[in-house]
Amino acid sequence: PRIAKAIDNMYLNSPYETKTETESAFAQGWVKQFGNIKFLITSIGTVVFFTLLLVTGNTMAISVRERTNELGVLKAIGFPDRAVLGFILGESMAIALAGCVGLLLALVAIPQLSRAMAGLLPPLLVTAKTLAYGVIAALVVGFASGILPAYGAMRMRVVTALRRV
């Protein structure tokens, strides 16, 4: 701060006045020009989350619809309704948790990106809390997208399931 003030005082009354600041202060000012970045990221993340929820829900509904005969056979040979519910929910959760591969990629990519952007942005970190939020979000998506198709498969009558071609 003392050197910055000395430089600014040197050019105080000249036609080329200066405003000296540290590199990190410059980077913060540059980032603030984009507006409320936290709100933008939260908004985009929310839209992506609900879009992902709709896509995975549709995928699970189609999966159950295509395997109606198989589910009817399971029920006909004695599998209880709760087991069918568990199979569909388990599949949905497994697919959602397979998406956690992206979290592992983030563990590798974010430190590399942070080093490449050194000085331009605040340091980027992937904390244990962030990873936990990612896994929880995957579990929520898996459960929410699988519960309705699983409930429908559980309530399906054997005769109705086996009648479909």
Side-chain angles (χ1 to χ4, degrees), residues 50-150:
F50 283 111
T51 303
L52 182 66
L53 189 61
L54 291 172
V55 169
T56 55
N58 185 45
T59 302
M60 286 307 300
I62 290 171
S63 173
V64 168
R65 191 175 311 123
E66 288 178 350
R67 291 183 294 146
T68 301
N69 288 339
E70 289 89 352
L71 295 171
V73 169
L74 285 176
K75 288 179 149 207
I77 63 173
F79 279 84
D81 289 342
R82 289 189 183 261
V84 173
L85 177 83
F87 290 151
I88 304 298
L89 272 179
E91 177 185 354
S92 178
M93 299 291 266
I95 291 169
L97 285 175
C100 288
V101 170
L103 291 173
L104 297 176
L105 291 174
L107 281 173
V108 174
I110 294 295
Q112 300 294 329
L113 183 62
S114 185
R115 276 194 290 279
M117 300 294 287
L120 295 178
L121 293 173
L124 303 172
L125 302 171
V126 178
T127 63
K129 186 177 177 182
T130 305
L131 292 174
Y133 282 151
V135 170
I136 289 169
L139 290 173
V140 167
V141 166
F143 182 80
S145 66
I147 190 66
L148 289 177

Side-chain angles (χ1 to χ4, degrees), residues 8-42:
D8 288 342
N9 284 338
M10 217 161 59
Y11 294 97
L12 189 62
N13 291 324
S14 77
Y16 306 105
E17 273 190 46
T18 61
K19 181 187 179 298
T20 309
E21 60 187 1
T22 63
E23 189 175 347
S24 62
F26 172 76
Q28 285 178 347
W30 184 71
V31 169
K32 285 182 183 177
Q33 289 178 358
F34 291 113
N36 190 350
I37 292 178
K38 184 176 181 181
F39 174 74
L40 290 172
I41 290 174
T42 303

